[in-house]
Amino acid sequence: MSKKICGVLTAIVTPFDNEGALNLHELKNQVNRQLNAGNGIFCGGTNGEFFVLNEEEKIAVTRTCVEEVAGRANVVAHIGEISTRETIRLGKQIERMGVDAVSVITPYFVPLKQQELIVHYTAIADALSVPVFLYNIPARTGNTIEPETASVLAAHPNIIGIKDSAGSYESLEGFLNAVKDIEGFDVLNGPDSLIHQGFVDGCSACISGLANVAPKEINAIWTRFKAGDVVGSREAQESVTGLRTELYNVAFSPAAVKKALQIMGHEVGASRYAVTFSEQQENTIRQIVSHLAH
């Protein structure tokens, strides 16, 4: 029986040094910053810039997170690659590191039918011993996991849930309704704007990119909800919704989140993909994060 993934997991950024190489020392700092706020770790995902990391780096990031967490919280690692074969190859290396689960985006670039997604995920879940979360992020992959597909895959004993980052309440609600009667299959919320509503409707956890910038503020949504303070949880959500909107209006989230962290004094480095910030954009981000604890 796998350990249930609950609460807040931070989609942690991957720090780089001034030359663009991995900065594992700073990754440890960021892991501990999240643990101090009560959050678990989701590594190697979109905010972790998996799409610009090579295999060796993905393994190093996961190993560092697992070792630094040392059993104090959940660690989930993303392993999705463009092919079934490469996803399994990476997954077999990651599962030996002691993660609680892995997450797998749909293949990208090539459009796939729902039956092809079922074949893809079934092969991965068959090949791995670590529990698997499906990961739906159609805006980035071009492929959508339909709720009915998730319910079919939920029958696999090694597929324990889905992370939905489609970005809409309709998508999240669709998955919650499709699997509500399936024991042992959880829905993880991706969009930071829907954390509170996700918990209200039955999500077991959220995967938050914004928690890199506001770890305690995001955690308050969960801890208040868990304590039965639904109103307080909603108020905590409202306090970060504006932050999310303003920050993500400046740039795509990994770069914007990293720039915010840099401005706050964290040595996470710049993003590797081609993105630039004007002086005006940096000043805007500085104003956005000025009220947050560094």
Side-chain angles (χ1 to χ4, degrees):
M1 187 72 180
S2 61
K3 181 162 59 172
K4 189 175 180 69
I5 308 296
C6 294
V8 176
L9 275 73
T10 299
I12 200 159
V13 298
T14 300
F16 302 124
D17 63 21
N18 292 334
E19 281 72 50
L22 287 184
N23 183 346
L24 297 180
H25 174 74
E26 182 59 27
L27 178 58
K28 293 177 183 179
N29 290 340
Q30 293 302 316
V31 166
N32 281 296
R33 182 166 162 264
Q34 294 301 327
L35 294 178
N36 290 338
N39 301 331
I41 302 297
F42 179 89
C43 62
T46 304
N47 274 276
E49 298 181 73
F50 78 91
F51 44 88
V52 291
L53 300 180
N54 62 35
E55 184 178 279
E56 181 182 349
E57 290 171 328
K58 291 172 184 177
I59 291 168
V61 164
T62 303
R63 180 185 295 113
T64 299
C65 288
V66 171
E67 290 178 353
E68 197 63 26
V69 169
R72 292 177 287 170
N74 290 128
V75 178
V76 176
H78 174 253
I79 62 166
E81 301 289 343
I82 199 166
S83 72
T84 310
R85 178 188 178 92
E86 287 304 305
T87 302
I88 291 172
R89 171 185 161 83
L90 179 60
K92 283 186 172 295
Q93 297 178 81
I94 294 295
E95 71 180 358
R96 295 197 293 264
M97 296 176 188
V99 295
D100 295 298
V102 294
S103 173
V104 184
I105 60 167
T106 63
Y108 40 95
F109 189 76
V110 179
L112 296 176
K113 301 179 182 69
Q114 294 301 300
Q115 183 56 40
E116 290 167 332
L117 290 175
I118 290 171
V119 171
H120 173 72
Y121 280 111
T122 299
I124 293 165
D126 284 347
L128 301 181
S129 59
V130 66
V132 174
F133 280 105
L134 316 175
Y135 183 172
N136 186 49
I137 184 166
R140 302 297 162 204
T141 66
N143 286 306
T144 300
I145 302 171
E146 299 291 346
E148 296 77 13
T149 300
S151 64
V152 170
L153 288 167
H156 195 291
N158 202 35
I159 296 178
I160 63 169
I162 184 167
K163 174 182 185 270
D164 181 38
S165 292
S168 72
Y169 177 68
E170 290 72 23
S171 177
L172 190 65
E173 183 182 39
F175 287 117
L176 286 164
N177 288 337
V179 303
K180 63 183 178 182
D181 296 324
I182 302 176
E183 188 176 353
F185 188 91
D186 293 320
V187 178
L188 312 185
N189 171 65
D192 288 304
S193 58
L194 296 174
I195 296 173
H196 167 74
Q197 193 60 49
F199 286 137
V200 169
D201 290 348
C203 288
S204 63
C206 71
I207 311 294
S208 173
L210 196 61
N212 285 285
V213 177
K216 294 179 181 178
E217 290 82 356
I218 294 293
N219 186 266
I221 303 172
W222 162 246
T223 53
R224 291 177 186 178
F225 176 81
K226 185 181 179 184
D229 183 8
V230 177
V231 173
S233 172
R234 185 174 65 248
E235 290 173 348
Q237 174 73 68
E238 291 169 353
S239 74
V240 299
T241 297
L243 171 64
R244 174 189 183 274
T245 302
E246 293 173 7
L247 186 60
Y248 291 178
N249 276 344
V250 178
F252 182 51
S253 59
V257 165
K258 273 192 151 180
K259 180 58 70 174
L261 284 170
Q262 285 180 297
I263 288 170
M264 294 168 70
H266 300 283
E267 297 179 1
V268 297
S271 291
R272 271 186 180 170
Y273 61 96
V275 61
T276 59
F277 290 89
S278 67
E279 184 178 350
Q280 181 180 356
Q281 287 176 315
E282 290 199 23
N283 287 335
T284 298
I285 294 175
R286 187 170 284 105
Q287 291 174 350
I288 291 169
V289 302
S290 61
H291 68 286
L292 296 173
H294 293 196

